[in-house]
Amino acid sequence: MMNKVEFKNILIVEDGDKLRNSLTEYFSAKNKVTACPTLKSAIDAAKSCEYDIVLLDLILPDGNGINLLGYLGKTPVIILSDLGADENVIGGLSAGAADYIIKPCSPKVLEARMALRLLPNSKADISLGGLTLNVSDRTAAYKNNPLELTSSEFNVLMFLMQNAGKFYTANEIYEQVWKMPHLNTETIKKHLSNLRKKMFAVSDDCASLLATKFGKGYAFVGDKNE
């Protein structure tokens, strides 16, 4: 089912024993789970193994969980935190997290949100206008020239490519990508600005695939490759 997470390698980083144990028990039924109570143990785990998805608390005994992002490459990260202020959510998403969920959250709702970040291999390749995304290994390339994207940049570009030719405002992109009410349009604008810079560094033609229209928003305008 679309809202199920099965046969995945999951890293859970949570210092609260009760929540860590309950999440481990819930997801271990059909997945391989590694659970870490500290930032150090999570960094060690990230160095020794690749994960399909990470659940990450921010307040850890030995540091801020956000520091783990640098060790995870393109692995989608869902922040699970009781820090619910706008600046915390925006900061987490801007740092590259794929999603931000405020505690408390039921395991079933959490699983549904995780499933949105884990598309099946049958839908792995999106190829438009010379730009190809592989959503399974989360890589991007324009005419075989790789694009190094953050998780958030990848998610925004994937959404626009899946809806090529249609314009969306920054608020609409935020709500569609993160499946939550928008908090600040500057988050999306920052991601789009960084995307354009990276695409421009590859080629002018690549950068032109992202279009902006005043009053309409943003769109991916490349035609589907034959």
Side-chain angles (χ1 to χ4, degrees), residues 131 142 147 198-200 202-210:
L131 182 61
Y142 178 73
L147 285 169
K198 292 178 179 181
M199 294 169 75
F200 182 76
V202 172
S203 120
D204 291 351
D205 291 337
C206 182
S208 69
L209 295 173
L210 284 182

Side-chain angles (χ1 to χ4, degrees), residues 44-119:
D44 290 341
K47 287 180 178 179
S48 62
C49 182
E50 292 186 4
Y51 296 92
D52 295 305
I53 195 163
V54 177
L55 299 179
L56 177 64
D57 190 11
L58 292 182
I59 302 177
L60 297 170
D62 53 345
N64 191 325
I66 209 76
N67 293 318
L68 181 65
L69 293 175
Y71 297 89
L72 296 172
K74 294 181 174 62
T75 303
V77 176
I78 295 181
I79 292 175
L80 184 60
S81 175
D82 52 11
L83 298 177
D86 287 2
E87 57 266 27
N88 297 123
V89 179
I90 294 167
L93 296 177
S94 297
D99 206 343
Y100 193 113
I101 299 175
I102 299 169
K103 300 176 186 176
C105 178
S106 74
K108 288 185 178 180
V109 172
L110 178 57
E111 183 177 18
R113 295 281 283 269
M114 291 168 66
L116 292 172
R117 311 300 165 195
L118 296 166
L119 295 179

Side-chain angles (χ1 to χ4, degrees), residues 15-37:
D15 67 322
D17 293 341
K18 183 177 180 180
L19 179 57
R20 185 178 67 255
N21 292 337
S22 66
L23 290 176
T24 299
E25 181 179 0
Y26 181 86
F27 287 107
S28 290
K30 295 184 178 180
N31 301 276
K32 180 181 178 182
V33 175
T34 300
C36 297

Side-chain angles (χ1 to χ4, degrees), residues 175-224:
E175 292 174 349
Q176 290 293 323
V177 171
W178 281 286
K179 303 300 180 184
M180 63 189 297
H182 68 85
L183 297 173
N184 189 319
T185 58
E186 295 303 315
T187 299
I188 293 299
K189 291 177 181 177
K190 178 180 178 181
H191 292 324
L192 286 164
S193 175
N194 290 337
L195 266 174
R196 280 204 178 96
K197 289 178 182 178
K198 292 178 179 181
M199 294 169 75
F200 182 76
V202 172
S203 120
D204 291 351
D205 291 337
C206 182
S208 69
L209 295 173
L210 284 182
T212 305
K213 283 189 178 181
F214 182 77
K216 288 189 174 183
Y218 308 87
F220 187 90
V221 295
D223 294 325
K224 187 171 183 179

